[in-house]
C-alpha cells in the first residue's frame, strides 16, 4: 500500500511511478483524444522483473484510484515487440503507440534494430531497457559490460544515435523531467521516433515521494503547423510558373490525414501525383491524377513524368535514394523543388523551396494559393496515356499464367483483387516491396503498410500484430518471404495468445529473390543467395536444396496452414482464410527468378572497379554508364 509522507505526495517506487504516469497520458489532434499508450510490449527478466514488472502487475491487479490499466503483451522477441509497436503507431497515424520493456543485456540490445527502424521511419515508440546498478554496489552484475575508460558506460549507450531522445534515470528525482521530455518528442510530428529511457535495476525498485500532480491525466496536443505566408507565396509562384509539375506524396500525407486535401489539390490543378512506399494510397490509384510509385521501384508512368518535370512538389517525403532513384529520377536540367514538410531537415533537401508545415494544413493552403491555376491540357492527356499504358503492364504482371510455379506478382494480383479498402497489406524488405510499389493498386491510405525506410526483414509478422490491435475490424494480411519468415516467426505465438486473427501469406522460393537478382545484375552471379547445402566438391553453397518445411513449422504453433499449388488454388485458399475467425497461414511456392515488373529506373549499388571476373567487369561498365545521369540538385 502506498503511503504519503508529505502533503500532496504519494510514495511509490520508480517502476510504479513510471507505469502510473504512462497510464494517464493522452494525445489529441483535431479535437479527438486517445490514450497515448495502448499498452506495454515486454519480456520480463533479470533487471526488470522485480521493478517495472512488479509495477505492471500491481497496475493490473490493484490499480490506484485514477490509474488506468496498462495491459502487458508478452512478446517472444524484443526486436519483434518494437516492430509491433511501430505497426500499431503507423496504423493510428502516430497518435498512439506502445512502451517496450526489456531485461538487462541482450534483452535490451535486441531492441536496437527496432529503435533504428522507428527513428528512420519517424514513428513514435517508447523503449525502456533495463540497466546496471546506479549505486554500483554489485558491479559487475550479470550481463554488465565493463568499460576501462568509464564507469558510467553501459551497453544501452548504443541506443543514443538511434533515439530521438535518450536518458538514463540515475535517481528518482530525475524521472519526472525525463518522462515529460520523452512525451514531448513522442507527440511532436517533426521530432518523433524512438525514445529511450534506460532504467538501472536498483533505481526501478527505489521508493520516492512523488507529487500527486505528476499522475493527473495529461493531454499532449499534436500540432498542425501552418505555412509561413511568405514561404507559401514563394512556393505557389514556382508552381504557377510550371508547365510540367509533379507532386510526390510521402508518408507525411498519410500520417497527417491529408488524403482528402491531396485529392482536392489534384482535382483543382490537374497536377499528377506520384507516391513513395510510405505514401502509397494517399490518393486512390484510379484517380485521374494518380501516376503510381516513383523512383527505383516505381512505375514507368511516374518515372517518365519525373524525368521531365520542371517543378517537383514533395509533400511529407524525406527523399530517400529509392524515391529519387539515387538522384537520377528527375532529369530536367532546370528542375526545381518545392518541399512541404513538417520537418525542416526534409523541407531543405535538393535545395528546395521550403514550406515547413503540417501536410494537411500545407496542402489546403497551397490549393488556395493556386486558385485559378491548372496544368496544360496536353500535359493532362500525356499523364492519362502514360498511366493507361502502365495499367496494361500491371494487368499483364498480375495475370501472367507463369509456370510451372506462379510468379509472386500473380499472388499480389490475386490479393489486390480480393482485399477490400479497409483491409491492410503488411510487408517489408526484399523483392516484394519493389513489385508492390510498382504494381499495387491502393484504394485507401490504410490498405498499404510497407516498411521500407529501414528495409527490415522480419518486420512483417510482428507489425501485422500491431496493425490488428489497432484495427481489429480489418482483415490484416502479412505477406512474408521464406527469408524474412525464418528471421522472425516468433510472434505467431503472441498473436495466438491474444486471440487475434491475422492472415499469413508465406511465399516460399528457397532463397533471397531480391539479393539474388541484385547480385546477378551487378556481376556477382547470385553467389550465396539460395538456401542450399554446401557441396564438398566446390566448397560452395550450391548443393541440394535444404528440405525446410515452413508449413510444418507454422503448424507447430497450432495454426491451420493451406498449401495451394496455383494462383486459382491460392484464390480459394485466401477466401477460406478470410472467412475463418482464426489466424490462418497460406504457404505457396513461387518462382525465385521472377518475372518481375519491367524496370524503368536505377539504384546506386557500387560495383568493384577491378576484378578478374568478366561478369563483374561487365557490370562495372554498366554502372559507370548509369552513374553519369546522377545529379546532386545543388
Amino acid at each position: 500500500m502506498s503511503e504519503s509522507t508529505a502533503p500532496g505526495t504519494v510514495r511509490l517506487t520508480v517502476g510504479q511511478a513510471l507505469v502510473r504516469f504512462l497510464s494517464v497520458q493522452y494525445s489529441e489532434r483535431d479535437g479527438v483524444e486517445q490514450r497515448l499508450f495502448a499498452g506495454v510490449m515486454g519480456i520480463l527478466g533479470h533487471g526488470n522483473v522485480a521493478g517495472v514488472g512488479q509495477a505492471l502487475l500491481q497496475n493490473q491487479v490493484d490499480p490506484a484510484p485514477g490509474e488506468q490499466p496498462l495491459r502487458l503483451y508478452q512478446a517472444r522477441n524484443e526486436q519483434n515487440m518494437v516492430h509491433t509497436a511501430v505497426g500499431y503507431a503507423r496504423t493510428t497515424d502516430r497518435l498512439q503507440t506502445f512502451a517496450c520493456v526489456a531485461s538487462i543485456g541482450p534483452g535490451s540490445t535486441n531492441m536496437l534494430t527496432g529503435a533504428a527502424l522507428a527513428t528512420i521511419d519517424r514513428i513514435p515508440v517508447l523503449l525502456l531497457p533495463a540497466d546496471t546498478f546506479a549505486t554500483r554496489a554489485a558491479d559487475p552484475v550479470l550481463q554488465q559490460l565493463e568499460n576501462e575508460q568509464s564507469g558510467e558506460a553501459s551497453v544501452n549507450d548504443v541506443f543514443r544515435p538511434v533515439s530521438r531522445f535518450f536518458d538514463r534515470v540515475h535517481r528518482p528525482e530525475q524521472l519526472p523531467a525525463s518522462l515529460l521530455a520523452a512525451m514531448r518528442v513522442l507527440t511532436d510530428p517533426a521530432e518523433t521516433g524512438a525514445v529511450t529511457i534506460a532504467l538501472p535495476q536498483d533505481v526501478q525498485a527505489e521508493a520516492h515521494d512523488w507529487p500527486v500532480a505528476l499522475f493527473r491525466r495529461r493531454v499532449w496536443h499534436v500540432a498542425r503547423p501552418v505555412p509561413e505566408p511568405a514561404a507559401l507565396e514563394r512556393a505557389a509562384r514556382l508552381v504557377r510558373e510550371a508547365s510540367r509539375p509533379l507532386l510526390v506524396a510521402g508518408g507525411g500525407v498519410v500520417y497527417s490525414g491529408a488524403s482528402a486535401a491531396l485529392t482536392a489539390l489534384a482535382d483543382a490543378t490537374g497536377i499528377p501525383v506520384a507516391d513513395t512506399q510510405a505514401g502509397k494510397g494517399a490518393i486512390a490509384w484510379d484517380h485521374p491524377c494518380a501516376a503510381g510509385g516513383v523512383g527505383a521501384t516505381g512505375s514507368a508512368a511516374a518515372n517518365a513524368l519525373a524525368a521531365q518535370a520542371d517543378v517537383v512538389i514533395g509533400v511529407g517525403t524525406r527523399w530517400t535514394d529509392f524515391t529519387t532513384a539515387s538522384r537520377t529520377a528527375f532529369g530536367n536540367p532546370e528542375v526545381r523543388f518545392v518541399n512541404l514538410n513538417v520537418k525542416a531537415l526534409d523541407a531543405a533537401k535538393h535545395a528546395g523551396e521550403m514550406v515547413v508545415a503540417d501536410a494537411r494544413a500545407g496542402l489546403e493552403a497551397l490549393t488556395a494559393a493556386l486558385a485559378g491555376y491548372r496544368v496544360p491540357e496536353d500535359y493532362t492527356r500525356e499523364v492519362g496515356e502514360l498511366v493507361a499504358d502502365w495499367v496494361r503492364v500491371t494487368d499483364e504482371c498480375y495475370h501472367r499464367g507463369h509456370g510451372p510455379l506462379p510468379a509472386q506478382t500473380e499472388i499480389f494480383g490475386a490479393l489486390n483483387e480480393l482485399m477490400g479498402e479497409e483491409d491492410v497489406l503488411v510487408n517489408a524488405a526484399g523483392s516484394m516491396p519493389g513489385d508492390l510499389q510498382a504494381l499495387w493498386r491502393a484504394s485507401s491510405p490504410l490498405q498499404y503498410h510497407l516498411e521500407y525506410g529501414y528495409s527490415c526483414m522480419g518486420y512483417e509478422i510482428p507489425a501485422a500484430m500491431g496493425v490488428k490491435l489497432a484495427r481489429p475490424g480489418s482483415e490484416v494480411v502479412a505477406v512474408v518471404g521464406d527469408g524474412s519468415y525464418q528471421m522472425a516467426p516468433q510472434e505467431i505465438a503472441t498473436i495466438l495468445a491474444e486471440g487475434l486473427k491475422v492472415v499469413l501469406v508465406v511465399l516460399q522460393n528457397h532463397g533471397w529473390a531480391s539479393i539474388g537478382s541484385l547480385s546477378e545484375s551487378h556481376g556477382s552471379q547470385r553467389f550465396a543467395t539460395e538456401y542450399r547445402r554446401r557441396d564438398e566438391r566446390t566448397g560452395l553453397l550450391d548443393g541440394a536444396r535444404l528440405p525446410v518445411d515452413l508449413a510444418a513449422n507454422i503448424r507447430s504453433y497450432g495454426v491451420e496452414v493451406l498449401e495451394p499449388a496455383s494462383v486459382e488454388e491460392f484464390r480459394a485458399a485466401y477466401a477460406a482464410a478470410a472467412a475463418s475467425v482464426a489466424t490462418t497461414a497460406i504457404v505457396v511456392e513461387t518462382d525465385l527468378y521472377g518475372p518481375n515488373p519491367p524496370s524503368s529506373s536505377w539504384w546506386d549499388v557500387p560495383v568493384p572497379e577491378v576484378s578478374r571476373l568478366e561478369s563483374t567487369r561487365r557490370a562495372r561498365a554498366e554502372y559507370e554508364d548509369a552513374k553519369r545521369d546522377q545529379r546532386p540538385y545543388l
Side-chain angles (χ1 to χ4, degrees):
M1 182 175 179
S2 302
E3 295 183 4
S4 297
T5 59
T9 67
V10 59
R11 191 163 182 79
L12 300 169
T13 68
V14 167
Q16 293 161 3
L18 167 71
V19 170
R20 188 178 295 190
F21 176 89
L22 296 181
S23 78
V24 292
Q25 302 305 300
Y26 289 76
S27 68
E28 176 274 330
R29 189 175 71 181
D30 300 333
V32 179
E33 294 183 6
Q34 50 274 310
R35 292 185 71 181
L36 180 56
F37 295 98
V40 177
M41 296 296 303
I43 298 178
L44 302 179
H46 170 227
N48 72 352
V49 66
V52 172
Q54 185 278 339
L56 288 166
L57 168 66
Q58 184 167 293
N59 168 268
Q60 291 289 295
V61 302
D62 187 22
E67 184 177 1
Q68 299 297 314
L70 202 60
R71 178 176 292 183
L72 174 68
Y73 293 84
Q74 184 187 62
R76 269 62 179 178
N77 175 278
E78 292 88 357
Q79 177 178 316
N80 288 354
M81 68 191 190
V82 185
H83 292 337
T84 299
V86 168
Y88 188 96
R90 282 190 59 173
T91 307
T92 58
D93 291 336
R94 306 191 297 190
L95 298 172
Q96 292 181 283
T97 187
F98 278 82
C100 296
V101 301
S103 59
I104 188 175
S108 288
T109 55
N110 278 352
M111 296 194 294
L112 190 64
T113 294
L117 181 150
T119 295
I120 287 171
D121 287 354
R122 318 279 169 81
I123 305 297
V125 60
L126 176 62
L127 308 181
L128 301 170
D131 217 318
T132 56
F133 279 61
T135 61
R136 305 181 189 171
D139 283 11
V141 298
L142 178 66
Q143 300 173 306
Q144 178 177 344
L145 171 72
E146 292 186 272
N147 187 307
E148 294 174 339
Q149 285 77 43
S150 171
E152 185 185 17
S154 158
V155 293
N156 288 336
D157 290 325
V158 300
F159 284 97
R160 292 180 185 271
V162 295
S163 298
R164 294 297 299 160
F165 174 81
F166 177 93
D167 199 5
R168 181 178 285 113
V169 177
H170 295 283
R171 294 293 307 140
E173 294 88 346
Q174 296 172 331
L175 184 66
S178 184
L179 287 174
L180 292 171
M183 299 307 108
R184 175 189 63 79
V185 174
L186 288 170
T187 56
D188 185 337
E191 297 300 321
T192 197
V195 168
T196 303
I197 301 178
L199 299 170
Q201 55 189 294
D202 54 343
V203 175
Q204 291 180 44
E206 188 172 345
H208 181 70
D209 294 329
W210 307 92
V212 172
L214 181 64
F215 307 114
R216 291 176 183 152
R217 187 179 188 274
R218 182 173 276 102
V219 180
W220 297 87
H221 302 282
V222 180
R224 287 194 182 276
V226 298
E228 192 266 325
L232 180 65
E233 182 181 347
R234 290 190 296 268
R237 185 166 58 248
L238 275 181
V239 177
R240 284 183 176 279
E241 293 172 358
S243 58
R244 300 183 62 86
L246 175 68
L247 190 149
V248 177
V253 179
V254 175
Y255 304 142
S256 68
S259 291
L262 174 63
T263 302
L265 183 145
D267 288 339
T269 65
I271 297 174
V273 178
D275 52 59
T276 70
Q277 286 282 11
K280 184 169 287 295
I283 189 169
W285 75 274
D286 56 355
H287 188 280
C289 292
V294 69
T297 53
S299 72
N303 283 332
L305 295 172
Q308 298 185 52
D310 52 2
V311 171
V312 178
I313 309 162
V315 183
T317 175
R318 61 191 185 92
W319 292 122
T320 70
D321 66 334
F322 256 65
T323 299
T324 68
S326 299
R327 302 195 178 210
T328 63
F330 304 103
N332 186 328
E334 304 301 323
V335 65
R336 293 174 294 177
F337 287 80
V338 171
N339 295 323
L340 195 170
N341 204 292
V342 73
K343 192 173 182 68
L345 170 69
D346 297 319
K349 290 176 179 175
H350 301 308
E353 191 65 63
M354 298 171 62
V355 182
V356 179
D358 167 76
R360 194 183 81 179
L363 283 167
E364 289 171 347
L366 185 60
T367 302
L370 293 174
Y373 168 81
R374 191 164 184 87
V375 300
E377 290 185 7
D378 58 345
Y379 186 49
T380 298
R381 284 194 297 272
E382 180 184 347
V383 171
E385 291 167 0
L386 288 169
V387 170
D389 287 342
W390 189 252
V391 166
R392 288 189 285 271
V393 171
T394 300
D395 287 338
E396 180 183 333
C397 291
Y398 276 177
H399 304 281
R400 290 186 182 277
H402 184 71
L405 296 175
Q408 71 179 21
T409 60
E410 294 177 290
I411 301 300
F412 296 153
L415 284 172
N416 209 166
E417 292 163 4
L418 293 168
M419 292 175 63
E421 283 189 23
E422 298 298 307
D423 298 338
V424 186
L425 176 86
V426 183
N427 183 245
S431 63
M432 296 185 197
D435 290 0
L436 288 165
Q437 194 204 6
L439 304 174
W440 191 265
R441 295 163 169 169
S443 50
S444 75
L446 173 71
Q447 191 186 59
Y448 188 83
H449 185 114
L450 268 280
E451 194 295 302
Y452 212 57
Y454 205 41
S455 187
C456 189
M457 296 177 70
Y459 174 84
E460 300 91 338
I461 294 173
M465 175 183 165
V467 175
K468 189 66 177 182
L469 287 169
R471 298 281 303 187
S474 295
E475 202 72 75
V476 179
V477 182
V479 182
V480 56
D482 52 345
S484 278
Y485 175 83
Q486 292 176 75
M487 288 190 174
Q490 303 94 330
E491 298 324 307
I492 293 175
T494 310
I495 289 170
L496 297 178
E498 296 297 334
L500 302 174
K501 188 272 179 88
V502 171
V503 177
L504 306 177
V505 176
V506 182
L507 304 190
Q508 165 71 296
N509 56 26
H510 306 280
W512 292 309
S514 175
I515 297 302
S517 176
L518 188 68
S519 171
E520 184 175 43
S521 64
H522 287 69
S524 294
Q525 303 174 18
R526 291 186 177 262
F527 175 66
T529 60
E530 296 186 41
Y531 302 141
R532 295 182 178 273
R533 297 184 186 276
R534 190 172 300 282
D535 190 319
E536 293 183 1
R537 296 168 300 174
T538 66
L540 302 176
L541 293 168
D542 59 0
R545 276 185 171 175
L546 294 175
V548 176
D549 190 337
L550 298 184
N553 180 263
I554 298 171
R555 287 191 181 99
S556 73
Y557 283 95
V559 173
E560 181 181 4
V561 180
L562 308 175
E563 298 182 78
S566 67
V567 176
E568 286 309 309
E569 288 184 13
F570 176 83
R571 288 176 174 273
Y574 180 79
S580 175
V581 296
T583 290
T584 305
I586 306 171
V587 179
V588 57
E589 294 254 354
T590 56
D591 194 330
L592 177 65
Y593 305 104
N596 301 104
S599 176
S600 58
S601 199
W602 183 70
W603 184 39
D604 193 342
V605 178
V607 178
E609 288 191 64
V610 296
S611 174
R612 293 192 302 275
L613 301 179
E614 171 58 28
S615 60
T616 305
R617 293 197 297 270
R618 186 168 56 249
R620 176 67 192 191
E622 294 172 356
Y623 173 76
E624 290 176 351
D625 184 60
K627 196 169 177 63
R628 293 189 183 97
D629 293 330
Q630 200 168 40
R631 303 176 59 206
Y633 302 119
L634 294 177

